[in-house]
Amino acid sequence: MNASKRLGLGLVGALLASGLLLAACAAPDGRAHVKKPGDVVFRHPGVVVSHTQLQHAKKMVAEGKEPWRTAYQDLLRSKYASLSYTAHPADVVPCPFNSGPQSCLDERQDAIAAYTHALLWSVTGRTAHVRKAVEIMDGWSARMKRHEKDNGGLQAAWSGSTWARAAEIVHADYPNWEKSQVDRFKEMLRTAYLPAVRTQVPTYNGNWELAMTDASLSIAVFLEDQAVFKESLDRFRTRVPAYFYLRKDGPHPIGPAHTAIDTPEKVKAYWFDQGTYVDGVAQETCRNLMHVGYSLAASAHIAETAWYQGVDLYGEEGDRIKAALEFHAKYQLGEEPPQWLCGGKVERTMGPDLEVALHHYATRTGADLPYTRRLVETMRPAGTDDLFVAWETLTHGEAPATGRGPVVDARGEDGERGYEQGSRGDRLVSGHDS
């Protein structure tokens, strides 16, 4: 998979902390600890999926409802679902641009396999799947030390976000993942992934920092690291407005923070020679829709994870993200672009990237996103891109538009904001065999 190229503007210093205080959730999490003002109460599992999402998927699969039934069957047919899957952990994963040794592919695939088996355990209750997930994670945590080469940060982002998703599901509900092994896995994430994904790369194409923020926020939740959690929220709030344009930004897009991309000419060059800006156009639109899809998926992952932790990033950037969803879905579906957009040519290479965002904006809040819905339903069941997006029709699907039931209020019985998800201090193990 091609990696995002760097522009010749050089690296710059780290983003400054904003001092933002987050509203703390009122519900206790079942463990004694000292909370500082502004800390969140972490909810588990709470990285892209929650108990509500997992139990809903389990119910829909058991009842044979679509699109979950087909999505589940698609997952079962994948190589990742095999109980004979063999992981290939490595000490060092060196990934240069646009190429790399086998360990780069192995790492991403093994993380997806661990997540796949964690999902299968949640849906089927079969302990063999959670044991396979633990086997894969333990194998990597026993060896993995660091990422290297030019693409190391992006590689760490793709695999790190998936590792955190898998670990969250297993650690929340499976009591037989030994504490020593959990601690070793946490140490791996803290030392072999966080340094790479926290690296500041504001002059790179924006999909880099969004993928890295997806990973850092996900890992922060699993580690219950307040500082990294807040840093990741700040990074999202800085990068998203610099990636997806709205007219309120002014005559040209906002340049990435702490860079010299601060004139119309420099912005145009950074935006792949795009000089006309309308609501929803993105920094990489004229590169290809594949990388815009990565950015939309990462943005939705970040917002979904934050949502479960009581922070509404979806609402903060709702107009911007919805405009970007509709703008790009329309062209991915085949509409001819005008001459002012990318010289009249767009590369329609978007993957299964919009399911999570559609779930929030359409199902939770009732927004009308016709192009996005049509594209998602055309691409279902959303499988995996073999990077960091996996099985999102199963976890975030909804019934087809015709005959849908009422929209659930965002603050209602789903509990994804106001209800304390199952904490590690009070394991929820019903529905799983032992």
Side-chain angles (χ1 to χ4, degrees), residues 66-357:
E66 294 291 356
W68 301 272
R69 182 184 69 86
T70 302
Y72 173 67
Q73 291 174 342
D74 190 51
L75 182 155
L76 280 179
R77 287 191 294 267
S78 77
K79 62 183 178 183
Y80 300 113
S82 172
L83 286 170
S84 62
Y85 184 95
T86 300
H88 297 88
D91 300 84
V92 179
V93 180
C95 302
F97 284 128
N98 299 320
S99 62
Q102 183 64 32
S103 60
C104 299
L105 179 63
D106 289 340
E107 181 187 32
R108 297 194 304 268
Q109 291 188 342
D110 289 355
I112 291 171
Y115 180 57
T116 300
H117 284 283
L119 285 178
L120 281 168
W121 173 60
S122 294
V123 171
T124 69
R126 291 186 62 194
T127 304
H129 288 298
V130 72
R131 288 174 178 162
K132 175 59 71 171
V134 168
E135 173 192 308
I136 295 168
M137 291 189 288
D138 284 352
W140 274 88
S141 67
R143 292 194 60 184
M144 179 59 177
K145 302 301 180 189
R146 64 186 180 277
H147 294 87
E148 292 182 348
K149 304 293 184 181
D150 293 333
N151 227 41
L154 193 56
Q155 171 77 16
W158 288 335
S159 50
S161 60
T162 312
W163 285 131
R165 253 175 276 157
E168 270 286 290
I169 294 172
V170 174
H171 191 212
D173 284 348
Y174 183 58
N176 294 330
W177 192 12
E178 297 294 334
K179 182 180 184 302
S180 61
Q181 307 300 83
V182 174
D183 290 345
R184 189 176 69 189
F185 191 80
K186 288 181 176 180
E187 183 66 12
M188 179 190 76
L189 293 180
R190 188 175 293 283
T191 60
Y193 291 84
L194 270 184
V197 301
R198 293 175 71 190
T199 299
Q200 304 300 313
V201 289
T203 58
Y204 287 29
N205 287 309
N207 77 86
W208 273 68
E209 285 205 325
L210 289 168
M212 293 162 85
T213 305
D214 180 10
S216 64
L217 188 75
S218 300
I219 292 169
V221 171
F222 183 64
L223 298 180
E224 300 203 332
D225 189 313
Q226 299 282 352
V228 174
F229 183 80
K230 294 174 187 177
E231 174 190 281
S232 301
L233 296 181
D234 290 344
R235 200 175 192 185
F236 174 93
R237 289 168 170 143
T238 302
R239 174 51 78 170
V240 167
Y243 191 85
F244 303 111
Y245 175 78
L246 282 180
R247 287 187 178 91
K248 70 178 184 180
D249 299 335
H252 62 76
I254 301 166
H258 312 299
T259 72
I261 305 173
D262 55 5
T263 68
E265 295 75 22
K266 290 178 180 178
V267 168
K268 182 179 178 181
Y270 183 56
W271 282 55
F272 291 86
D273 207 35
Q274 177 63 26
T276 301
Y277 309 105
V278 299
D279 285 351
V281 68
Q283 184 254 318
E284 294 180 277
T285 301
C286 294
R287 183 186 186 190
N288 54 56
L289 300 192
M290 176 176 67
H291 286 87
V292 177
Y294 294 166
S295 298
L296 285 166
S299 297
H301 291 173
I302 296 161
E304 188 79 354
T305 297
W307 177 266
Y308 296 139
Q309 307 308 324
V311 180
D312 187 9
L313 296 179
Y314 278 125
E316 291 181 23
E317 293 295 348
D319 290 343
R320 194 178 300 275
I321 295 174
K322 286 184 287 186
L325 289 167
E326 287 292 276
F327 183 88
H328 293 95
K330 174 173 61 178
Y331 293 114
Q332 178 64 32
L333 284 165
E335 181 159 324
E336 289 299 315
Q339 189 62 33
W340 57 261
L341 180 63
C342 312
K345 297 179 181 178
V346 293
E347 191 173 315
R348 297 181 175 91
T349 48
M350 187 177 290
D353 299 319
L354 308 186
E355 192 86 67
V356 174

